[in-house]
Tab-separated table of all heavy atoms in Angstrom:
chain	number	residue	atom	x	y	z
R	29	MET	N	22.999	-0.976	14.438
R	29	MET	CA	21.757	-0.763	13.716
R	29	MET	C	21.685	-1.741	12.546
R	29	MET	O	22.636	-1.877	11.793
R	29	MET	CB	21.692	0.685	13.226
R	29	MET	CG	20.443	0.965	12.409
R	29	MET	SD	20.426	2.617	11.665
R	29	MET	CE	19.909	3.599	13.026
R	30	SER	N	20.562	-2.438	12.428
R	30	SER	CA	20.420	-3.376	11.323
R	30	SER	C	19.887	-2.657	10.086
R	30	SER	O	19.188	-1.657	10.181
R	30	SER	CB	19.491	-4.521	11.717
R	30	SER	OG	18.198	-4.028	11.943
R	31	GLU	N	20.215	-3.203	8.951
R	31	GLU	CA	19.775	-2.610	7.693
R	31	GLU	C	18.565	-3.372	7.178
R	31	GLU	O	18.535	-4.600	7.230
R	31	GLU	CB	20.909	-2.663	6.683
R	31	GLU	CG	20.640	-1.823	5.456
R	31	GLU	CD	21.897	-1.672	4.609
R	31	GLU	OE1	22.957	-1.402	5.186
R	31	GLU	OE2	21.786	-1.855	3.405
R	32	SER	N	17.582	-2.658	6.707
R	32	SER	CA	16.363	-3.275	6.203
R	32	SER	C	16.338	-3.194	4.688
R	32	SER	O	16.847	-2.245	4.094
R	32	SER	CB	15.154	-2.534	6.774
R	32	SER	OG	13.975	-2.946	6.120
R	33	ASN	N	15.736	-4.201	4.093
R	33	ASN	CA	15.543	-4.179	2.650
R	33	ASN	C	14.152	-3.690	2.297
R	33	ASN	O	13.754	-3.746	1.144
R	33	ASN	CB	15.763	-5.581	2.061
R	33	ASN	CG	17.215	-5.992	2.138
R	33	ASN	OD1	18.105	-5.165	2.005
R	33	ASN	ND2	17.450	-7.270	2.373
R	34	ALA	N	13.396	-3.250	3.300
R	34	ALA	CA	12.046	-2.751	3.046
R	34	ALA	C	12.114	-1.511	2.166
R	34	ALA	O	13.030	-0.699	2.263
R	34	ALA	CB	11.357	-2.423	4.365
R	35	ARG	N	11.105	-1.398	1.317
R	35	ARG	CA	11.086	-0.280	0.379
R	35	ARG	C	9.630	0.117	0.127
R	35	ARG	O	8.746	-0.731	0.057
R	35	ARG	CB	11.739	-0.732	-0.923
R	35	ARG	CG	11.701	0.280	-2.026
R	35	ARG	CD	12.408	-0.272	-3.232
R	35	ARG	NE	12.111	0.541	-4.392
R	35	ARG	CZ	12.886	0.653	-5.440
R	35	ARG	NH1	14.013	-0.024	-5.482
R	35	ARG	NH2	12.550	1.406	-6.437
R	36	VAL	N	9.399	1.413	-0.014
R	36	VAL	CA	8.075	1.931	-0.336
R	36	VAL	C	8.184	2.761	-1.606
R	36	VAL	O	9.017	3.669	-1.684
R	36	VAL	CB	7.514	2.818	0.803
R	36	VAL	CG1	6.159	3.392	0.421
R	36	VAL	CG2	7.428	2.033	2.097
R	37	ASP	N	7.390	2.420	-2.596
R	37	ASP	CA	7.332	3.194	-3.835
R	37	ASP	C	5.928	3.751	-3.990
R	37	ASP	O	4.946	3.013	-3.895
R	37	ASP	CB	7.640	2.307	-5.052
R	37	ASP	CG	9.081	1.839	-5.065
R	37	ASP	OD1	9.977	2.696	-5.095
R	37	ASP	OD2	9.303	0.615	-5.023
R	38	VAL	N	5.842	5.043	-4.245
R	38	VAL	CA	4.554	5.674	-4.511
R	38	VAL	C	4.263	5.521	-5.996
R	38	VAL	O	5.019	6.006	-6.835
R	38	VAL	CB	4.586	7.173	-4.124
R	38	VAL	CG1	3.235	7.822	-4.429
R	38	VAL	CG2	4.959	7.345	-2.664
R	39	LYS	N	3.178	4.826	-6.311
R	39	LYS	CA	2.818	4.619	-7.714
R	39	LYS	C	2.013	5.833	-8.198
R	39	LYS	O	1.152	6.338	-7.482
R	39	LYS	CB	1.997	3.331	-7.884
R	39	LYS	CG	2.672	2.077	-7.322
R	39	LYS	CD	4.085	1.904	-7.790
R	39	LYS	CE	4.179	1.381	-9.181
R	39	LYS	NZ	5.593	1.128	-9.593
R	40	PRO	N	2.298	6.327	-9.384
R	40	PRO	CA	1.595	7.511	-9.884
R	40	PRO	C	0.080	7.310	-9.885
R	40	PRO	O	-0.424	6.339	-10.454
R	40	PRO	CB	2.121	7.664	-11.311
R	40	PRO	CG	3.422	6.929	-11.325
R	40	PRO	CD	3.266	5.799	-10.342
R	41	ASN	N	-0.632	8.202	-9.196
R	41	ASN	CA	-2.101	8.140	-9.117
R	41	ASN	C	-2.605	6.772	-8.665
R	41	ASN	O	-3.670	6.321	-9.086
R	41	ASN	CB	-2.730	8.513	-10.456
R	41	ASN	CG	-2.350	9.904	-10.881
R	41	ASN	OD1	-2.298	10.811	-10.057
R	41	ASN	ND2	-2.061	10.086	-12.149
R	42	GLY	N	-1.818	6.113	-7.818
R	42	GLY	CA	-2.184	4.770	-7.373
R	42	GLY	C	-1.680	4.474	-5.976
R	42	GLY	O	-1.461	5.390	-5.181
R	43	PRO	N	-1.494	3.197	-5.663
R	43	PRO	CA	-1.179	2.772	-4.302
R	43	PRO	C	0.286	2.972	-3.917
R	43	PRO	O	1.113	3.400	-4.731
R	43	PRO	CB	-1.510	1.275	-4.347
R	43	PRO	CG	-1.207	0.889	-5.750
R	43	PRO	CD	-1.623	2.069	-6.590
R	44	LEU	N	0.561	2.614	-2.666
R	44	LEU	CA	1.935	2.499	-2.198
R	44	LEU	C	2.350	1.059	-2.412
R	44	LEU	O	1.662	0.137	-1.973
R	44	LEU	CB	2.032	2.834	-0.709
R	44	LEU	CG	1.574	4.224	-0.286
R	44	LEU	CD1	1.610	4.335	1.236
R	44	LEU	CD2	2.433	5.287	-0.920
R	45	MET	N	3.455	0.841	-3.094
R	45	MET	CA	3.982	-0.513	-3.288
R	45	MET	C	5.028	-0.759	-2.211
R	45	MET	O	6.026	-0.047	-2.142
R	45	MET	CB	4.604	-0.679	-4.679
R	45	MET	CG	5.057	-2.105	-4.929
R	45	MET	SD	5.673	-2.363	-6.616
R	45	MET	CE	7.330	-1.721	-6.448
R	46	ILE	N	4.763	-1.757	-1.368
R	46	ILE	CA	5.623	-2.066	-0.229
R	46	ILE	C	6.353	-3.368	-0.526
R	46	ILE	O	5.727	-4.403	-0.735
R	46	ILE	CB	4.789	-2.252	1.063
R	46	ILE	CG1	3.775	-1.115	1.243
R	46	ILE	CG2	5.680	-2.406	2.272
R	46	ILE	CD1	4.360	0.224	1.499
R	47	THR	N	7.659	-3.324	-0.509
R	47	THR	CA	8.468	-4.494	-0.830
R	47	THR	C	9.377	-4.840	0.353
R	47	THR	O	9.936	-3.937	0.980
R	47	THR	CB	9.341	-4.208	-2.071
R	47	THR	OG1	8.511	-3.754	-3.131
R	47	THR	CG2	10.106	-5.445	-2.503
R	48	GLY	N	9.493	-6.123	0.649
R	48	GLY	CA	10.447	-6.574	1.660
R	48	GLY	C	10.046	-6.277	3.088
R	48	GLY	O	10.892	-6.252	3.981
R	49	ILE	N	8.770	-6.088	3.310
R	49	ILE	CA	8.291	-5.791	4.666
R	49	ILE	C	7.842	-7.087	5.331
R	49	ILE	O	7.449	-8.037	4.653
R	49	ILE	CB	7.148	-4.745	4.633
R	49	ILE	CG1	6.919	-4.161	6.016
R	49	ILE	CG2	5.880	-5.339	4.060
R	49	ILE	CD1	6.028	-2.933	6.003
R	50	GLY	N	7.899	-7.122	6.630
R	50	GLY	CA	7.441	-8.297	7.375
R	50	GLY	C	5.945	-8.260	7.569
R	50	GLY	O	5.174	-8.437	6.633
R	51	GLU	N	5.541	-7.954	8.776
R	51	GLU	CA	4.126	-7.970	9.101
R	51	GLU	C	3.434	-6.657	8.747
R	51	GLU	O	4.010	-5.586	8.884
R	51	GLU	CB	3.928	-8.208	10.606
R	51	GLU	CG	4.335	-9.582	11.073
R	51	GLU	CD	4.112	-9.764	12.565
R	51	GLU	OE1	3.948	-8.752	13.295
R	51	GLU	OE2	4.122	-10.919	13.002
R	52	ILE	N	2.183	-6.797	8.313
R	52	ILE	CA	1.266	-5.661	8.218
R	52	ILE	C	0.129	-5.971	9.181
R	52	ILE	O	-0.472	-7.042	9.104
R	52	ILE	CB	0.719	-5.479	6.784
R	52	ILE	CG1	1.858	-5.158	5.821
R	52	ILE	CG2	-0.355	-4.399	6.752
R	52	ILE	CD1	1.433	-5.058	4.365
R	53	LYS	N	-0.145	-5.049	10.105
R	53	LYS	CA	-1.213	-5.243	11.082
R	53	LYS	C	-2.324	-4.248	10.825
R	53	LYS	O	-2.070	-3.093	10.461
R	53	LYS	CB	-0.685	-5.060	12.506
R	53	LYS	CG	0.310	-6.123	12.924
R	53	LYS	CD	0.762	-5.905	14.351
R	53	LYS	CE	1.753	-6.974	14.774
R	53	LYS	NZ	2.232	-6.745	16.147
R	54	ASN	N	-3.557	-4.687	11.066
R	54	ASN	CA	-4.693	-3.775	10.931
R	54	ASN	C	-4.833	-2.957	12.210
R	54	ASN	O	-4.017	-3.073	13.133
R	54	ASN	CB	-5.976	-4.542	10.574
R	54	ASN	CG	-6.431	-5.475	11.683
R	54	ASN	OD1	-5.972	-5.399	12.819
R	54	ASN	ND2	-7.341	-6.380	11.344
R	55	SER	N	-5.866	-2.126	12.265
R	55	SER	CA	-6.043	-1.231	13.411
R	55	SER	C	-6.326	-1.973	14.713
R	55	SER	O	-6.225	-1.399	15.790
R	55	SER	CB	-7.166	-0.232	13.124
R	55	SER	OG	-8.379	-0.928	12.898
R	56	LYS	N	-6.669	-3.269	14.616
R	56	LYS	CA	-6.904	-4.078	15.818
R	56	LYS	C	-5.656	-4.838	16.240
R	56	LYS	O	-5.684	-5.618	17.177
R	56	LYS	CB	-8.038	-5.073	15.548
R	56	LYS	CG	-9.352	-4.407	15.230
R	56	LYS	CD	-10.379	-5.437	14.805
R	56	LYS	CE	-11.643	-4.736	14.340
R	56	LYS	NZ	-12.577	-5.654	13.679
R	57	GLY	N	-4.568	-4.654	15.496
R	57	GLY	CA	-3.331	-5.339	15.817
R	57	GLY	C	-3.239	-6.726	15.222
R	57	GLY	O	-2.318	-7.479	15.544
R	58	GLU	N	-4.198	-7.071	14.385
R	58	GLU	CA	-4.200	-8.396	13.758
R	58	GLU	C	-3.261	-8.403	12.554
R	58	GLU	O	-3.274	-7.474	11.746
R	58	GLU	CB	-5.623	-8.751	13.294
R	58	GLU	CG	-6.616	-8.775	14.436
R	58	GLU	CD	-8.072	-8.740	13.975
R	58	GLU	OE1	-8.350	-8.218	12.874
R	58	GLU	OE2	-8.930	-9.204	14.737
R	59	VAL	N	-2.456	-9.447	12.448
R	59	VAL	CA	-1.527	-9.576	11.331
R	59	VAL	C	-2.308	-9.975	10.088
R	59	VAL	O	-3.100	-10.928	10.112
R	59	VAL	CB	-0.429	-10.614	11.643
R	59	VAL	CG1	0.483	-10.795	10.441
R	59	VAL	CG2	0.379	-10.176	12.871
R	60	LEU	N	-2.096	-9.239	9.012
R	60	LEU	CA	-2.791	-9.490	7.753
R	60	LEU	C	-1.871	-10.225	6.790
R	60	LEU	O	-0.714	-9.818	6.607
R	60	LEU	CB	-3.233	-8.167	7.122
R	60	LEU	CG	-4.113	-7.272	7.990
R	60	LEU	CD1	-4.368	-5.952	7.276
R	60	LEU	CD2	-5.413	-7.968	8.351
R	61	ALA	N	-2.375	-11.281	6.188
R	61	ALA	CA	-1.611	-11.967	5.152
R	61	ALA	C	-1.501	-11.032	3.953
R	61	ALA	O	-2.449	-10.309	3.627
R	61	ALA	CB	-2.319	-13.256	4.753
R	62	HIS	N	-0.340	-11.031	3.326
R	62	HIS	CA	-0.153	-10.148	2.174
R	62	HIS	C	0.920	-10.716	1.249
R	62	HIS	O	1.818	-11.428	1.693
R	62	HIS	CB	0.233	-8.739	2.633
R	62	HIS	CG	1.575	-8.681	3.323
R	62	HIS	ND1	2.752	-8.548	2.627
R	62	HIS	CD2	1.913	-8.769	4.624
R	62	HIS	CE1	3.760	-8.529	3.478
R	62	HIS	NE2	3.273	-8.677	4.702
R	63	PRO	N	0.822	-10.361	-0.012
R	63	PRO	CA	1.867	-10.762	-0.953
R	63	PRO	C	3.066	-9.829	-0.806
R	63	PRO	O	3.014	-8.828	-0.089
R	63	PRO	CB	1.185	-10.582	-2.312
R	63	PRO	CG	0.219	-9.472	-2.089
R	63	PRO	CD	-0.269	-9.649	-0.671
R	64	ASP	N	4.137	-10.140	-1.462
R	64	ASP	CA	5.315	-9.277	-1.500
R	64	ASP	C	5.725	-9.121	-2.967
R	64	ASP	O	6.159	-10.106	-3.564
R	64	ASP	CB	6.449	-9.881	-0.686
R	64	ASP	CG	7.606	-8.901	-0.501
R	64	ASP	OD1	7.587	-7.808	-1.099
R	64	ASP	OD2	8.531	-9.246	0.254
R	65	PRO	N	5.535	-7.961	-3.536
R	65	PRO	CA	5.161	-6.711	-2.898
R	65	PRO	C	3.683	-6.664	-2.555
R	65	PRO	O	2.876	-7.372	-3.145
R	65	PRO	CB	5.510	-5.646	-3.941
R	65	PRO	CG	5.347	-6.333	-5.254
R	65	PRO	CD	5.805	-7.754	-5.000
R	66	ALA	N	3.366	-5.798	-1.580
R	66	ALA	CA	1.982	-5.513	-1.217
R	66	ALA	C	1.648	-4.106	-1.699
R	66	ALA	O	2.520	-3.245	-1.780
R	66	ALA	CB	1.800	-5.601	0.300
R	67	PHE	N	0.396	-3.894	-2.034
R	67	PHE	CA	-0.047	-2.584	-2.515
R	67	PHE	C	-1.064	-2.027	-1.534
R	67	PHE	O	-2.115	-2.628	-1.323
R	67	PHE	CB	-0.653	-2.708	-3.919
R	67	PHE	CG	0.367	-3.114	-4.942
R	67	PHE	CD1	0.644	-4.455	-5.173
R	67	PHE	CD2	1.078	-2.152	-5.636
R	67	PHE	CE1	1.611	-4.833	-6.102
R	67	PHE	CE2	2.049	-2.520	-6.565
R	67	PHE	CZ	2.312	-3.863	-6.803
R	68	LEU	N	-0.721	-0.897	-0.917
R	68	LEU	CA	-1.585	-0.272	0.084
R	68	LEU	C	-2.294	0.925	-0.513
R	68	LEU	O	-1.685	1.769	-1.172
R	68	LEU	CB	-0.764	0.163	1.299
R	68	LEU	CG	0.005	-0.942	2.017
R	68	LEU	CD1	0.720	-0.357	3.234
R	68	LEU	CD2	-0.911	-2.076	2.445
R	69	CYS	N	-3.596	0.995	-0.234
R	69	CYS	CA	-4.434	2.072	-0.765
R	69	CYS	C	-4.046	3.420	-0.177
R	69	CYS	O	-3.834	3.541	1.018
R	69	CYS	CB	-5.893	1.775	-0.434
R	69	CYS	SG	-7.034	3.067	-0.959
R	70	ARG	N	-3.964	4.410	-1.012
R	70	ARG	CA	-3.794	5.782	-0.531
R	70	ARG	C	-4.843	6.713	-1.104
R	70	ARG	O	-4.792	7.918	-0.897
R	70	ARG	CB	-2.379	6.304	-0.787
R	70	ARG	CG	-2.015	6.528	-2.217
R	70	ARG	CD	-0.557	6.944	-2.321
R	70	ARG	NE	-0.215	7.194	-3.699
R	70	ARG	CZ	-0.070	8.408	-4.229
R	70	ARG	NH1	-0.206	9.482	-3.482
R	70	ARG	NH2	0.233	8.551	-5.500
R	71	CYS	N	-5.822	6.175	-1.832
R	71	CYS	CA	-6.872	7.024	-2.402
R	71	CYS	C	-8.115	7.036	-1.515
R	71	CYS	O	-8.957	7.916	-1.653
R	71	CYS	CB	-7.244	6.543	-3.800
R	71	CYS	SG	-8.235	5.034	-3.842
R	72	GLY	N	-8.250	6.050	-0.632
R	72	GLY	CA	-9.396	5.977	0.256
R	72	GLY	C	-10.605	5.265	-0.328
R	72	GLY	O	-11.625	5.137	0.335
R	73	LEU	N	-10.510	4.796	-1.554
R	73	LEU	CA	-11.666	4.201	-2.222
R	73	LEU	C	-11.724	2.677	-2.136
R	73	LEU	O	-12.755	2.082	-2.451
R	73	LEU	CB	-11.676	4.616	-3.704
R	73	LEU	CG	-11.751	6.116	-3.979
R	73	LEU	CD1	-11.588	6.398	-5.463
R	73	LEU	CD2	-13.046	6.683	-3.450
R	74	SER	N	-10.642	2.033	-1.731
R	74	SER	CA	-10.592	0.569	-1.724
R	74	SER	C	-11.626	-0.034	-0.781
R	74	SER	O	-11.867	0.474	0.315
R	74	SER	CB	-9.194	0.096	-1.309
R	74	SER	OG	-9.170	-1.307	-1.197
R	75	LYS	N	-12.207	-1.126	-1.201
R	75	LYS	CA	-13.133	-1.880	-0.347
R	75	LYS	C	-12.387	-2.966	0.421
R	75	LYS	O	-12.998	-3.715	1.186
R	75	LYS	CB	-14.237	-2.485	-1.208
R	75	LYS	CG	-15.016	-1.399	-1.964
R	75	LYS	CD	-16.424	-1.755	-2.214
R	75	LYS	CE	-17.251	-0.689	-2.880
R	75	LYS	NZ	-16.628	0.534	-3.307
R	76	THR	N	-11.079	-3.079	0.214
R	76	THR	CA	-10.266	-4.079	0.911
R	76	THR	C	-9.130	-3.410	1.671
R	76	THR	O	-8.029	-3.945	1.747
R	76	THR	CB	-9.713	-5.119	-0.083
R	76	THR	OG1	-8.886	-4.432	-1.052
R	76	THR	CG2	-10.817	-5.875	-0.780
R	77	LYS	N	-9.388	-2.200	2.237
R	77	LYS	CA	-8.347	-1.489	2.977
R	77	LYS	C	-7.751	-2.385	4.060
R	77	LYS	O	-8.491	-3.168	4.645
R	77	LYS	CB	-8.927	-0.227	3.631
R	77	LYS	CG	-9.343	0.830	2.639
R	77	LYS	CD	-9.881	2.021	3.398
R	77	LYS	CE	-10.561	3.008	2.517
R	77	LYS	NZ	-11.950	2.673	2.200
R	78	PRO	N	-6.482	-2.295	4.295
R	78	PRO	CA	-5.583	-1.267	3.798
R	78	PRO	C	-5.016	-1.550	2.407
R	78	PRO	O	-4.182	-0.805	1.925
R	78	PRO	CB	-4.452	-1.273	4.842
R	78	PRO	CG	-4.358	-2.704	5.250
R	78	PRO	CD	-5.794	-3.199	5.248
R	79	PHE	N	-5.490	-2.614	1.777
R	79	PHE	CA	-4.925	-2.980	0.480
R	79	PHE	C	-5.653	-2.295	-0.672
R	79	PHE	O	-6.837	-1.987	-0.592
R	79	PHE	CB	-4.974	-4.505	0.298
R	79	PHE	CG	-4.211	-5.232	1.365
R	79	PHE	CD1	-4.873	-5.901	2.385
R	79	PHE	CD2	-2.828	-5.214	1.377
R	79	PHE	CE1	-4.170	-6.546	3.390
R	79	PHE	CE2	-2.105	-5.860	2.379
R	79	PHE	CZ	-2.785	-6.524	3.390
R	80	CYS	N	-4.947	-2.089	-1.726
R	80	CYS	CA	-5.502	-1.511	-2.949
R	80	CYS	C	-6.329	-2.574	-3.669
R	80	CYS	O	-5.913	-3.729	-3.760
R	80	CYS	CB	-4.336	-1.060	-3.837
R	80	CYS	SG	-4.798	-0.573	-5.500
R	81	ASP	N	-7.488	-2.192	-4.165
R	81	ASP	CA	-8.302	-3.111	-4.962
R	81	ASP	C	-8.499	-2.598	-6.390
R	81	ASP	O	-9.332	-3.123	-7.131
R	81	ASP	CB	-9.649	-3.390	-4.292
R	81	ASP	CG	-10.577	-2.180	-4.281
R	81	ASP	OD1	-10.168	-1.092	-4.747
R	81	ASP	OD2	-11.720	-2.326	-3.804
R	82	GLY	N	-7.757	-1.577	-6.763
R	82	GLY	CA	-7.854	-1.030	-8.116
R	82	GLY	C	-8.859	0.097	-8.258
R	82	GLY	O	-8.984	0.683	-9.331
R	83	SER	N	-9.575	0.419	-7.176
R	83	SER	CA	-10.604	1.468	-7.254
R	83	SER	C	-10.030	2.832	-7.600
R	83	SER	O	-10.760	3.697	-8.093
R	83	SER	CB	-11.371	1.563	-5.931
R	83	SER	OG	-12.110	0.388	-5.699
R	84	HIS	N	-8.744	3.052	-7.352
R	84	HIS	CA	-8.124	4.349	-7.676
R	84	HIS	C	-8.227	4.665	-9.168
R	84	HIS	O	-8.167	5.821	-9.564
R	84	HIS	CB	-6.652	4.370	-7.234
R	84	HIS	CG	-5.814	3.333	-7.901
R	84	HIS	ND1	-5.668	2.049	-7.405
R	84	HIS	CD2	-5.121	3.380	-9.058
R	84	HIS	CE1	-4.893	1.363	-8.214
R	84	HIS	NE2	-4.555	2.141	-9.231
R	85	LYS	N	-8.414	3.632	-9.970
R	85	LYS	CA	-8.493	3.827	-11.427
R	85	LYS	C	-9.757	4.570	-11.834
R	85	LYS	O	-9.875	4.993	-12.978
R	85	LYS	CB	-8.428	2.473	-12.134
R	85	LYS	CG	-7.082	1.794	-11.930
R	85	LYS	CD	-7.079	0.405	-12.545
R	85	LYS	CE	-5.769	-0.301	-12.216
R	85	LYS	NZ	-5.803	-1.732	-12.580
R	86	SER	N	-10.687	4.760	-10.884
R	86	SER	CA	-11.913	5.482	-11.205
R	86	SER	C	-11.718	6.994	-11.229
R	86	SER	O	-12.680	7.727	-11.445
R	86	SER	CB	-13.014	5.109	-10.223
R	86	SER	OG	-12.703	5.585	-8.919
R	87	GLY	N	-10.479	7.448	-10.991
R	87	GLY	CA	-10.248	8.876	-11.127
R	87	GLY	C	-9.366	9.521	-10.076
R	87	GLY	O	-9.238	10.736	-10.053
R	88	PHE	N	-8.747	8.711	-9.206
R	88	PHE	CA	-7.842	9.290	-8.191
R	88	PHE	C	-6.654	9.939	-8.884
R	88	PHE	O	-5.986	9.335	-9.717
R	88	PHE	CB	-7.360	8.203	-7.230
R	88	PHE	CG	-6.294	8.663	-6.274
R	88	PHE	CD1	-6.569	9.615	-5.295
R	88	PHE	CD2	-5.013	8.138	-6.331
R	88	PHE	CE1	-5.599	10.030	-4.394
R	88	PHE	CE2	-4.035	8.542	-5.422
R	88	PHE	CZ	-4.317	9.495	-4.470
R	89	VAL	N	-6.402	11.203	-8.521
R	89	VAL	CA	-5.262	11.941	-9.079
R	89	VAL	C	-4.495	12.572	-7.928
R	89	VAL	O	-5.070	13.258	-7.094
R	89	VAL	CB	-5.725	13.043	-10.062
R	89	VAL	CG1	-4.530	13.861	-10.538
R	89	VAL	CG2	-6.469	12.433	-11.237
R	90	ASP	N	-3.214	12.309	-7.884
R	90	ASP	CA	-2.319	12.966	-6.942
R	90	ASP	C	-1.307	13.727	-7.771
R	90	ASP	O	-0.331	13.158	-8.254
R	90	ASP	CB	-1.634	11.929	-6.048
R	90	ASP	CG	-0.666	12.595	-5.069
R	90	ASP	OD1	-0.546	13.837	-5.074
R	90	ASP	OD2	-0.028	11.857	-4.299
R	91	ASP	N	-1.542	14.998	-7.943
R	91	ASP	CA	-0.675	15.784	-8.819
R	91	ASP	C	0.624	16.205	-8.146
R	91	ASP	O	1.421	16.915	-8.745
R	91	ASP	CB	-1.415	16.992	-9.380
R	91	ASP	CG	-1.981	17.884	-8.283
R	91	ASP	OD1	-1.719	17.632	-7.087
R	91	ASP	OD2	-2.682	18.847	-8.633
R	92	LYS	N	0.837	15.760	-6.899
R	92	LYS	CA	2.091	16.089	-6.216
R	92	LYS	C	3.135	15.004	-6.399
R	92	LYS	O	4.285	15.170	-6.009
R	92	LYS	CB	1.836	16.306	-4.733
R	92	LYS	CG	0.951	17.519	-4.488
R	92	LYS	CD	0.674	17.708	-3.029
R	92	LYS	CE	-0.258	18.883	-2.857
R	92	LYS	NZ	-1.057	18.817	-1.688
R	93	ASN	N	2.748	13.863	-6.931
R	93	ASN	CA	3.693	12.757	-7.116
R	93	ASN	C	3.675	12.271	-8.547
R	93	ASN	O	2.726	12.028	-9.140
R	93	ASN	CB	3.383	11.582	-6.189
R	93	ASN	CG	3.740	11.903	-4.764
R	93	ASN	OD1	4.888	12.159	-4.471
R	93	ASN	ND2	2.752	11.904	-3.899
T	120	LIG	S1	-4.891	3.252	-4.204
T	120	LIG	FE1	-5.802	1.627	-5.277
T	120	LIG	S2	-7.774	1.501	-4.431
T	120	LIG	FE2	-6.879	3.144	-3.370
């Protein structure tokens, strides 16, 4: 079994920060260019899904994390 350096951090009231990952594909299977780390939306408000565009700052609250 190989070891991965990939890591996911849940940012408080914000996106998922993905570090050390290879490809990110959209729902059509297309590979999306992304920075490392990449920030993935989990609030549903981003206009650039699956990436975070900062829209969560308008009031997204996740009181479980
Ligand atoms: S988490 Fe940032 S726009 Fe959704």
Side-chain angles (χ1 to χ4, degrees):
M29 178 186 280
S30 65
E31 192 168 315
S32 169
N33 291 325
R35 176 178 166 154
V36 178
D37 292 300
V38 179
K39 305 310 283 184
N41 300 320
L44 301 174
M45 184 175 81
I46 312 293
T47 307
I49 196 168
E51 292 180 343
I52 297 176
K53 294 182 180 178
N54 66 14
S55 60
K56 298 173 186 169
E58 300 164 334
V59 177
L60 304 175
H62 65 86
D64 190 353
F67 294 87
L68 301 182
C69 177
R70 68 184 181 104
C71 74
L73 300 173
S74 175
K75 301 210 177 4
T76 61
K77 292 181 191 82
F79 301 105
C80 170
D81 69 357
S83 294
H84 61 272
K85 295 175 185 170
S86 67
F88 172 66
V89 176
D90 179 1
D91 57 5
K92 295 178 183 153
N93 288 299

